[in-house]
């Protein structure tokens, strides 16, 4: 599911929740499906959008700063380090044992074995 779909679904659910609620403001009265209630709802949505945009801007400016001041800066998640445990799994697999035997011996899933094998072979 894409981010836009998640946002649309969230707004839809917030819309349903907001119109099911009645907020009692002292000077105004109940804010439900009235003109003032709709205005308040739109203001709250605008504030939420402003906050989301502010977070995106700060993240982008932080990345730009890091790129300028750190030559080794890389975006994304760092690669998993190959530990001795992973090397042992790879050696066990390459010594003629099947994936099923490796799964049972090390008590890990087949997809983990595939991922470890791929990473070890890429780093060679």
């Amino acid at each position: 599911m894409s981010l836009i779909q998640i946002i649309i679904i969230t707004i839809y659910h917030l819309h349903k929740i907001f119109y099911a609620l009645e907020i009692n403001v002292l000077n105004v009265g109940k804010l439900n499906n009235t003109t003032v209630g709709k205005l308040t709802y739109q203001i709250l949505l605008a504030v939420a959008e402003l906050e989301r945009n502010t977070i995106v801007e700060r993240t982008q400016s932080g990345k730009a700063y890091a790129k300028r001041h750190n030559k080794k800066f890389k975006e994304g998640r760092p690669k998993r380090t190959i530990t001795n445990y992973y090397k042992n799994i790879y050696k066990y697999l390459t010594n003629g044992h099947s994936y099923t035997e490796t799964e049972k011996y090390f008590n890990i899933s087949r997809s983990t074995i595939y991922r470890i094998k791929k990473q070890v072979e890429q780093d060679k």
Side-chain angles (χ1 to χ4, degrees):
M1 190 177 296
S2 71
L3 181 61
I4 294 173
Q5 290 172 327
I6 292 170
I7 292 170
I8 290 170
I9 291 170
T10 304
I11 290 173
Y12 172 75
H13 288 296
L14 286 174
H15 176 75
K16 286 179 77 174
I17 290 169
F18 182 77
Y19 282 114
L21 294 176
E22 288 186 352
I23 302 170
N24 193 8
V25 180
L26 293 177
N27 294 339
V28 179
K30 290 185 179 179
L31 297 179
N32 46 18
N33 201 5
T34 62
T35 307
V36 176
K38 290 177 183 178
L39 173 66
T40 306
Y41 177 67
Q42 292 298 323
I43 291 171
L44 290 174
L45 285 177
V47 170
E49 183 179 359
L50 172 71
E51 185 66 25
R52 186 172 42 88
N53 291 339
T54 304
I55 291 169
V56 169
E57 287 176 11
R58 287 180 182 169
T59 304
Q60 289 174 347
S61 66
K63 283 182 184 179
Y65 179 84
K67 286 178 184 178
R68 283 194 311 270
H69 292 87
N70 185 1
K71 303 264 185 207
K72 296 181 180 180
F73 175 78
K74 291 182 182 177
E75 284 194 45
R77 189 175 194 167
K79 280 189 173 181
R80 180 186 299 203
T81 56
I82 300 173
T83 62
N84 287 332
Y85 180 68
Y86 292 156
K87 290 177 185 176
N88 290 337
I89 292 171
Y90 181 74
K91 285 178 189 174
Y92 188 84
L93 183 66
T94 54
N95 285 338
H97 296 281
S98 68
Y99 284 98
T100 305
E101 291 172 342
T102 308
E103 281 180 70
K104 290 178 182 175
Y105 187 78
F106 288 98
N107 194 25
I108 57 174
S109 69
R110 187 174 294 239
S111 61
T112 303
I113 297 170
Y114 289 142
R115 188 174 54 245
I116 290 169
K117 180 181 177 196
K118 181 180 176 183
Q119 186 176 359
V120 169
E121 289 174 352
Q122 283 178 352
D123 288 350
K124 281 187 175 183

